[in-house]
């Protein structure tokens, strides 16, 4: 596909470029067709939160990285949207935290698995788990194709980062006692609610910040990192994220025109 050339001074440039990236990912089999819809839903929630990383999201990002750095066996679950949007940051985060990348797809097709594996290897990944040529274990209580996990990855993980995940699988991961970290712009989704730490932010903003925190905190004493994790409460985090959306909407309600040039096409 020929990318739409969006001028640098276009107020919606970042958002339009992101769309093109997801569409390209769809054309190369990385992104599921439903991934286009999921992205649209993400865009809508991003509008509501003001297309920014809030201080609350930043605190969740820091706690999530602390959880990864103190885990015995952290794993990063990769789906099509995550791979299309932030392949390089996924690889950097994996290297800095020692968390292997595992492909785990909701809409599995062998050609998608192949395309995602190639994209991760092209981004510098040395190993990709969860592929059909590897052994597989199962998560109980999930339907057949989606229950498969890699025994060296999610199968034995204690902490799992599942960006943009569906609610059923998040619940299943909780049932088998994983500590679940997620990135989801919708603070009301089942994934957001069931996870232990929910980063309410766009993955394109959150992942680079996670990489930064991983660099900054990798030599921090384990006891300090554990304290960051234990002091983080997800229910309060979600409450505050929803409150920030309301605050943003209230400011829009007071003055819709003031920011119209940056929040509408
Ligand atoms: O690649 P696959 O086959 O594993 O499929 C991936 C999708 C995302 C299609 C699948 O997991 C799915 O259907 O997810 P849901 O149930 O639509 O949930 C996706 C969640 O991610 C929604 O709550 C969206 O608001 C949110 N979301 C979408 N884009 C972003 C996002 N959150 C953060 N950053 C985004 N860029």
């Amino acid at each position: 596909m020929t990318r739409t050339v969006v001028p640098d001074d276009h107020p919606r440039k970042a958002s339009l470029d992101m769309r093109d990236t997801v569409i390209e990912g769809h054309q190369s089999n990385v992104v599921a067709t439903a991934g286009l819809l999921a992205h649209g839903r993400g865009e809508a929630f991003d509008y509501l939160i003001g297309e920014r990383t809030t201080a609350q999201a930043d605190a969740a990002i820091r706690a999530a990285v602390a959880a990864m750095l103190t885990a015995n066996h952290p794993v990063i679950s990769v789906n099509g949207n995550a791979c299309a949007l932030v392949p390089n940051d996924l690889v950097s985060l994996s290297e800095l935290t020692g968390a292997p990348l595992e492909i785990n797809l909701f809409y599995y097709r062998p050609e998608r698995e192949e395309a995602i594996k190639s994209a991760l290897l092209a981004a510098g990944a040395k190993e990709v788990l969860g592929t059909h040529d590897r052994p597989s274990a199962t998560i109980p209580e999930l339907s057949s194709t989606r229950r498969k996990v890699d025994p060296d990855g999610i199968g034995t993980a204690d902490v799992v980062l599942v960006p943009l995940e569906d609610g059923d699988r998040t619940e299943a991961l909780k049932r088998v006692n994983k500590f679940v970290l997620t990135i989801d712009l919708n603070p009301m989704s089942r994934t957001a609610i069931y996870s232990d730490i929910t980063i309410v932010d766009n993955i394109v903003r959150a992942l680079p910040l996670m990489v930064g925190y991983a660099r900054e905190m990798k030599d921090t004493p384990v006891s300090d990192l554990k304290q960051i994790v234990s002091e983080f409460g997800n229910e309060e985090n979600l409450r505050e994220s929803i409150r920030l959306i309301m605050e943003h909407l209230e400011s829009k309600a007071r003055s819709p025109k003031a920011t119209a040039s940056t929040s509408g096409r």
Side-chain angles (χ1 to χ4, degrees), residues 38 41-42 79-80 105-107 112 164 184-186 201-203:
R41 181 153 48 162
N79 67 16
L105 300 181
F106 189 90
Y107 300 100
R112 290 195 58 221
L164 286 63
D184 192 331
L185 277 159
N186 177 3
D201 197 9
N202 197 314
I203 192 172

Side-chain angles (χ1 to χ4, degrees), residues 53-231:
T53 300
T54 64
Q56 187 58 41
D58 191 74
I61 288 169
R62 183 162 168 267
V65 173
M68 292 179 81
L69 290 172
T70 50
N72 291 322
H73 185 23
V75 171
I76 303 173
S77 177
V78 181
N79 67 16
N81 290 51
C83 175
L85 288 169
V86 285
N88 297 316
D89 293 311
L90 287 170
V91 172
S92 301
L93 186 65
S94 164
E95 278 169 7
L96 286 162
T97 60
L101 299 167
E102 174 167 345
I103 301 175
N104 207 283
L105 300 181
F106 189 90
Y107 300 100
Y108 180 83
R109 281 193 288 121
E111 57 272 36
R112 290 195 58 221
E113 177 190 299
E114 203 43 55
I116 292 169
K117 182 178 173 185
S118 302
L120 292 174
L121 294 176
K126 294 186 183 62
E127 189 188 25
V128 179
L129 304 181
T131 52
H132 69 278
D133 52 339
R134 293 193 40 87
S136 74
T138 55
I139 307 181
E141 298 178 62
L142 257 183
S143 61
S144 56
T145 52
R146 296 163 53 213
R147 73 201 308 200
K148 282 190 178 169
V149 290
D150 195 307
D152 293 333
I154 294 173
T156 42
D158 50 352
V159 173
V160 193
L161 172 65
V162 286
L164 286 63
E165 185 57 279
D166 90 290
D168 283 355
R169 195 145 46 190
T170 307
E171 273 195 69
L173 288 171
K174 283 310 303 167
R175 274 199 293 274
V176 291
N177 293 323
K178 309 292 181 190
F179 193 83
V180 179
L181 319 171
T182 196
I183 303 168
D184 192 331
L185 277 159
N186 177 3
M188 291 163 285
S189 74
R190 277 193 305 146
T191 291
I193 291 164
Y194 285 110
S195 294
D196 295 283
I197 299 178
T198 303
I199 298 166
V200 183
D201 197 9
N202 197 314
I203 192 172
V204 302
R205 294 189 298 267
L207 247 285
L209 291 171
M210 289 184 87
V211 170
Y213 271 122
R215 276 206 186 98
E216 193 183 305
M217 300 198 301
K218 68 180 170 23
D219 299 321
T220 302
V222 170
S223 57
D224 292 1
L225 294 173
K226 286 194 165 158
Q227 194 176 346
I228 293 172
V229 179
S230 67
E231 282 173 3

